[in-house]
Amino acid sequence: MRAKNVITLDGGAHTGKSTAAQRLAARLNWDWVSTGAFYRGLARVADAAGISPDNEAALVDLIRSKEFRVVLTPEATRFEYQGRDLTGEIFTPRVGDLTPRISRLAGVRAGLLQAQRDLIKGRQGLIVEGRDCGTVVFPDAVLKFWFIVADEAAGARWAKSHNTTVAEAVEHIRERNRRDVERATAQMKPASDAITIDTSDLNSEGVVSLLMQKCHEARLLAARPLGE
Ligand code: C5P
């Protein structure tokens, strides 16, 4: 039985998943979540507490303390710890480096899984974006997308916003993805029933139009006119 109100978007860094998830959710009047916020938030809290990213037991204790909250808004997935909004602090280069080191740990992934699944409770529908959403978190999602992008296209976008060369940007993105692909648990890979979306030659509006078209083809939105 498919979860009719869950769509997953998985793929590597800088493939355009977050923007697409946000826009698709707005079109469908559903909510969306970036599951990366769970891992980034945990990395940020552990770092501030002096917990090593290799200390699985301490990280699992941190999760079990249930002092964090992931809050869904139309603009962003927010992360709070002990009532403090840390969203502005989870996208620093330091947290970006620490996050794949903690997300590779099986205990961390198992600890965060139920909280991610619980996000659907009480919602009309949910777009879930990350690395393992269609394979592990919501394997029964009604529609699954796998985002890819040519290295050069992703590098050019990243270089522009980070004031660096395309070659450096490509290297940075490859290294980020390498760690998520090679880890032992919940490797980044497409679900066998995922539809591949190549964003290399599309702007964000083009991507969301394509996703809407796939939703219609899957008869998910039978009652809605295309493009609404
Ligand atoms: O998507 P975002 O860049 O915020 O993800 C940051 C990191 O969090 C990824 O590089 C990956 O290590 C981890 N992550 C994950 N599984 C997910 C989402 C994110 O392992 N579903």
Side-chain angles (χ1 to χ4, degrees), residues 10-14 17-18 34-40 90-91 95-96 99-104 109 116 129-133 137 176-177 179-180 183 185-186 188:
D10 288 306
H14 309 292
K17 303 183 305 289
S18 284
S34 165
T35 52
F38 283 84
Y39 296 97
R40 286 178 178 272
I90 66 175
F91 293 99
V95 172
T99 304
R101 292 180 61 188
I102 69 148
S103 72
R104 75 187 167 87
R109 302 201 75 86
Q116 293 177 8
E129 174 257 300
R131 304 292 188 286
D132 64 340
C133 301
V137 188
R176 274 204 57 189
N177 288 334
R179 288 183 288 188
D180 291 335
R183 69 183 174 217
T185 316
M188 180 174 83

